[in-house]
Amino acid sequence: MKKKYFNILFLLFVLSARIIVSGQSVRVMNELFGLEDKIPGKKQVTVVIDPGHGGRDPGKIGVNGILEKDLNLMVSLRLESLLKENDINVIMTRTEDTGLYSESDSNKKRADMRKRVDIINNSGAVLAVSIHQNSFVEEYVRGAQVFYHGSSVQGKELAIILQDQLIKTLKDGNHRKAKSNESYYMLRMTQCPLVIVECGYLSNHNEAALLSDPEYQEKLAWAVHLGILRYLNMNSGQEKHMDNE
Ligand SMILES: [Zn+2]
């Protein structure tokens, strides 16, 4: 009998916990992960967000004059808070308009990239996402695209999910597919799966205007955070499986 009452109490507890927990992304998290992820003391998953460029490196410059480094940071900060709402430990490579080099570095770009890789490799992160904006000589070219290193099975999986989620969330007729890149320094040097999200083309008038809009930035961050949650959900089963072995 006692066990029965305990079960009923536990059920009531679970139901009230489900009702108390609110907020759209928390609901998404619960649907994806189940309530066991809310157990206090459970090891947090770490994710690194890397807003590209910064400081004296503006990145691409939009047709409307907007700087890539600023957009990267704005999208990344929104993504950071969405992931934190889902109990994910987030490490940012930068949170201000600064590059990751010192004034004494002779090759600041190289120093900056090395430092980003160091942060990611020392973070214990399960994945890292670099946020960038694209540009091309032909004005009509547009659409978000995600890049991964060809030798990384998990990087490819993450990139495909993020590409899919960006297309579903933005609903802008983008037909791009996640693409491998074997030459980019950060893709080669990071130990955990890293993907580069090119949010759109600053050389396209319509897209540059959209990317400059805080609501659109929120949408982008929302898509990337949903994609990360989907990826973590798919891989949490594998972790549990490995733990049991
Ligand atoms: Zn860039």
Side-chain angles (χ1 to χ4, degrees):
M1 281 302 271
K2 273 185 183 170
K3 196 177 177 199
K4 193 176 172 188
Y5 282 122
F6 174 78
N7 284 342
I8 291 166
L9 276 172
F10 182 70
L11 189 66
L12 282 171
F13 168 74
V14 169
L15 283 172
S16 41
R18 272 201 185 271
I19 292 161
I20 289 162
V21 171
S22 60
Q24 205 176 355
S25 60
V26 176
R27 277 201 300 277
V28 168
M29 186 72 176
N30 278 340
E31 277 168 34
L32 291 173
F33 287 83
L35 280 172
E36 68 272 15
D37 287 81
K38 290 285 161 196
I39 294 169
K42 184 178 162 65
K43 196 169 172 288
Q44 267 189 319
V45 168
T46 298
V47 165
V48 177
I49 303 172
D50 172 44
H53 313 280
R56 64 171 69 206
D57 172 14
K60 309 275 164 50
I61 298 171
V63 282
N64 56 357
I66 198 127
L67 303 181
E68 182 192 348
K69 63 173 184 175
D70 296 330
L71 292 181
N72 295 343
L73 185 58
M74 287 187 274
V75 172
S76 296
L77 289 171
R78 285 179 162 81
L79 177 58
E80 178 191 24
S81 42
L82 288 169
L83 291 177
K84 281 183 169 171
E85 278 174 29
N86 284 284
D87 205 27
I88 290 170
N89 179 39
V90 181
I91 294 175
M92 303 283 288
T93 55
R94 68 178 177 100
T95 54
E96 292 172 350
D97 180 18
T98 46
L100 281 79
Y101 50 80
S102 39
E103 286 307 316
S104 58
D105 287 319
S106 54
N107 188 334
K108 293 184 173 52
K109 186 67 185 168
R110 179 174 293 206
D112 176 272
M113 298 294 245
R114 277 196 179 148
K115 181 75 184 156
R116 287 171 202 261
V117 168
D118 278 354
I119 292 171
I120 294 169
N121 286 348
N122 292 317
S123 65
V126 293
L127 65 93
V129 177
S130 281
I131 301 292
H132 284 260
Q133 316 296 322
N134 223 331
S135 180
F136 196 62
V137 284
E138 308 271 14
E139 197 275 341
Y140 72 90
V141 175
R142 52 177 281 276
Q145 190 162 28
V146 186
F147 293 85
Y148 60 93
H149 194 276
S151 70
S152 171
V153 176
Q154 286 182 304
K156 183 177 181 180
E157 185 191 356
L158 174 60
I160 288 171
I161 293 172
L162 287 178
Q163 183 75 50
D164 174 69
Q165 194 59 57
L166 282 160
I167 288 170
K168 279 182 180 151
T169 302
L170 299 175
K171 297 185 184 76
D172 60 352
N174 179 10
H175 296 295
R176 291 183 179 280
K177 289 186 164 48
K179 196 174 174 184
S180 73
N181 179 311
E182 269 66 71
S183 60
Y184 188 65
Y185 179 80
M186 288 186 65
L187 286 175
R188 286 191 289 116
M189 302 307 284
T190 46
Q191 288 155 8
C192 69
L194 167 81
V195 293
I196 297 167
V197 177
E198 299 275 3
C199 300
Y201 281 79
L202 289 176
S203 42
N204 177 279
H205 282 88
N206 281 344
E207 207 157 57
L210 281 171
L211 292 163
S212 310
D213 176 2
E215 260 183 54
Y216 192 79
Q217 293 161 13
E218 182 73 41
K219 239 177 167 179
L220 282 164
W222 179 258
V224 176
H225 116 283
L226 274 187
I228 290 173
L229 295 183
R230 279 173 60 191
Y231 171 86
L232 290 176
N233 185 44
M234 285 173 70
N235 285 278
S236 67
Q238 284 172 21
E239 270 168 41
K240 275 171 200 158
H241 178 67
M242 285 192 304
D243 287 345
N244 291 339
E245 281 175 346

